[in-house]
Amino acid sequence: EETWNIQPVQHFCGQVGFNSFLPSKGMSPYTRPQDSQRLLIGDHWHVSFQQSLPTVLMNSDHWKLKVHEGFLSQPGQPGALTLFNPPRIDGRRNLTAHLSYSKHILAETWESRFVPGFKGMRTGWWKSPKPNHYFDATYQAIVARSMRRISVLAPVAVPLPPIEASIPETVYEPAEARRNRW
């Protein structure tokens, strides 16, 4: 609408109150600002008050790596990320329950590539043409946890049930092979 002189997300947050919602933006590269009374600075994030609108600025590289590290960690350990076990359909495991989510999480790879004109290698997140919205939402949820000072859960004392079927080796194909498919 023409009455919106700010971004829709900021407009929404202003309407419902900045105590409940804050607009946010991932930054790469991220530079931690100098300490200031006008900034709230946390672990690889800070809240900027530009034009009296609070905005959370996050180190997207750091937090995306945390998401990938979390899924690679042993389930139940601090920092580990696991997905719920989907319900059975007609007595069989639903093997595609998390397919869309997993495609978003794997839509970007952290690797070094030669960049012409850059005169060398650049290490960073390389995005495929596939959507990555759930990946961004996952790391932003972890930032929200950090902002609220919610600590990582303690290790699970009860052993997890064994996985019923082995995971096909094709899941672990190298990034180069995945990139060639796209």
Side-chain angles (χ1 to χ4, degrees), residues 27-47:
M27 297 178 66
S28 176
Y30 175 83
T31 304
R32 184 185 186 279
Q34 293 183 356
D35 292 336
S36 166
Q37 290 184 341
R38 298 197 60 207
L39 295 174
L40 176 61
I41 300 173
D43 178 26
H44 293 273
W45 58 265
H46 68 275
V47 179

Side-chain angles (χ1 to χ4, degrees), residues 103-119:
K103 286 182 177 181
H104 281 244
I105 296 297
L106 297 174
E108 295 183 40
T109 56
W110 179 262
E111 58 190 23
S112 295
R113 290 188 188 174
F114 179 77
V115 179
F118 187 78
K119 298 180 183 173

Side-chain angles (χ1 to χ4, degrees), residues 169-178 181:
E169 290 298 317
T170 56
V171 171
Y172 299 107
E173 65 186 343
E176 182 67 30
R178 284 194 317 263
R181 277 199 326 256

Side-chain angles (χ1 to χ4, degrees), residues 138-164:
T138 302
Y139 90 76
Q140 290 174 359
I142 296 172
V143 171
R145 183 195 70 197
S146 171
M147 291 179 69
R148 292 291 183 182
R149 295 187 178 103
I150 299 172
S151 65
V152 176
L153 299 175
V156 175
V158 180
L160 297 171
I163 297 174
E164 294 176 22

Side-chain angles (χ1 to χ4, degrees), residues 7-35:
Q7 293 294 320
V9 171
Q10 293 171 328
H11 185 72
F12 168 80
C13 293
Q15 281 186 334
V16 297
F18 289 108
N19 291 333
S20 301
F21 295 94
L22 288 174
S24 63
K25 180 176 177 157
M27 297 178 66
S28 176
Y30 175 83
T31 304
R32 184 185 186 279
Q34 293 183 356
D35 292 336

Side-chain angles (χ1 to χ4, degrees), residues 56-180:
V56 181
L57 302 173
M58 306 164 284
N59 182 345
S60 58
D61 293 340
H62 171 80
W63 293 107
K64 286 179 180 182
L65 282 170
K66 286 290 186 191
V67 170
H68 277 224
E69 289 169 7
F71 281 118
L72 293 172
S73 297
Q74 184 68 29
Q77 295 304 308
L81 295 173
T82 56
L83 300 175
F84 70 91
N85 195 6
R88 294 180 173 271
I89 298 175
D90 296 328
R92 293 184 297 176
R93 286 184 58 207
N94 182 359
L95 298 177
T96 61
H98 302 298
L99 187 61
S100 178
Y101 182 79
S102 64
K103 286 182 177 181
H104 281 244
I105 296 297
L106 297 174
E108 295 183 40
T109 56
W110 179 262
E111 58 190 23
S112 295
R113 290 188 188 174
F114 179 77
V115 179
F118 187 78
K119 298 180 183 173
M121 300 296 283
R122 179 181 166 265
T123 301
W125 287 101
W126 296 90
K127 187 177 181 321
S128 75
K130 308 284 185 184
N132 69 340
H133 310 301
Y134 299 151
F135 190 24
D136 291 338
T138 302
Y139 90 76
Q140 290 174 359
I142 296 172
V143 171
R145 183 195 70 197
S146 171
M147 291 179 69
R148 292 291 183 182
R149 295 187 178 103
I150 299 172
S151 65
V152 176
L153 299 175
V156 175
V158 180
L160 297 171
I163 297 174
E164 294 176 22
S166 63
I167 299 171
E169 290 298 317
T170 56
V171 171
Y172 299 107
E173 65 186 343
E176 182 67 30
R178 284 194 317 263
R179 192 171 42 255
N180 289 337

